[in-house]
Amino acid sequence: MLAPDEPMGTSMRSGDALIRLAKNRIEGVRKLIAAAEAARADLERQREQIDASEKAEFAFAARAPEAAVAAASYGQALAQRRRNVERSLDGVAHELDTLSVELRTAFEELKRLEILEERRRAREAAAVMKREQALLDEAASLRARRR
């Protein structure tokens, strides 16, 4: 019979399996977070490259007035690239927020499963002790009758 706090369909050994699944979920979310952080670092590096490229181009245009026309269109292209990188950074930030919530939820689920498994093992140990005590009581009762 299931305890009131034990999910339906779990048995004595399924608690360990559920705990392993929860740990695997946590590991999977951690890997996704690492990938998103790597993507964020790459996007930030791209943003820095755009800024450096823009400074270099406008410095060149200041020294060579005939390059000013090309610098203006190049500046527009860089601005578009910067907007795209910023949009991507916003998307990665949103993904990291979502993954952070998912990781917190996965840890809570793992903790809940560990507590349930601990309670199940405590009930099992108490039942074994109760059976052993009943056997000892019965043995003592038999000895008392023989005297």
Side-chain angles (χ1 to χ4, degrees):
M1 185 170 147
L2 293 175
D5 58 353
E6 199 168 7
M8 288 299 295
T10 60
S11 65
M12 291 181 7
R13 293 200 178 114
S14 69
D16 290 332
L18 291 172
I19 288 171
R20 276 193 309 278
L21 285 172
K23 286 180 179 179
N24 287 341
R25 179 177 172 217
I26 289 170
E27 186 60 30
V29 173
R30 283 181 172 164
K31 287 179 182 178
L32 291 173
I33 288 173
E37 287 175 345
R40 179 178 57 190
D42 183 54
L43 289 167
E44 288 173 350
R45 183 188 50 75
Q46 287 179 29
R47 183 174 51 189
E48 290 170 5
Q49 286 176 342
I50 291 169
D51 292 343
S53 178
E54 183 178 47
K55 286 178 186 175
E57 183 65 27
F58 286 125
F60 176 72
R63 289 190 309 269
E66 62 276 357
V69 174
S73 62
Y74 184 69
Q76 290 174 347
L78 287 177
Q80 181 61 43
R81 280 183 54 202
R82 184 180 294 110
R83 283 191 296 274
N84 290 342
V85 167
E86 292 297 333
R87 246 183 273 127
S88 295
L89 278 168
D90 290 344
V92 169
H94 177 71
E95 181 181 359
L96 281 168
D97 290 343
T98 302
L99 289 170
S100 175
V101 169
E102 188 174 337
L103 183 61
R104 188 172 29 259
T105 301
F107 270 117
E108 290 169 358
E109 178 69 9
L110 174 62
K111 186 65 177 170
R112 185 185 70 78
L113 291 170
E114 288 174 338
I115 289 169
L116 288 174
E117 183 62 13
E118 184 179 311
R119 288 178 185 167
R120 184 198 61 78
R121 288 182 180 168
R123 283 191 307 274
E124 189 177 272
V128 167
M129 288 181 64
K130 186 176 178 179
R131 284 191 300 272
E132 288 174 356
Q133 187 61 47
L135 289 173
L136 290 173
D137 291 347
E138 185 179 336
S141 175
L142 287 174
R143 270 188 301 228
R145 281 190 226 147
R146 289 184 188 157
R147 288 188 183 166

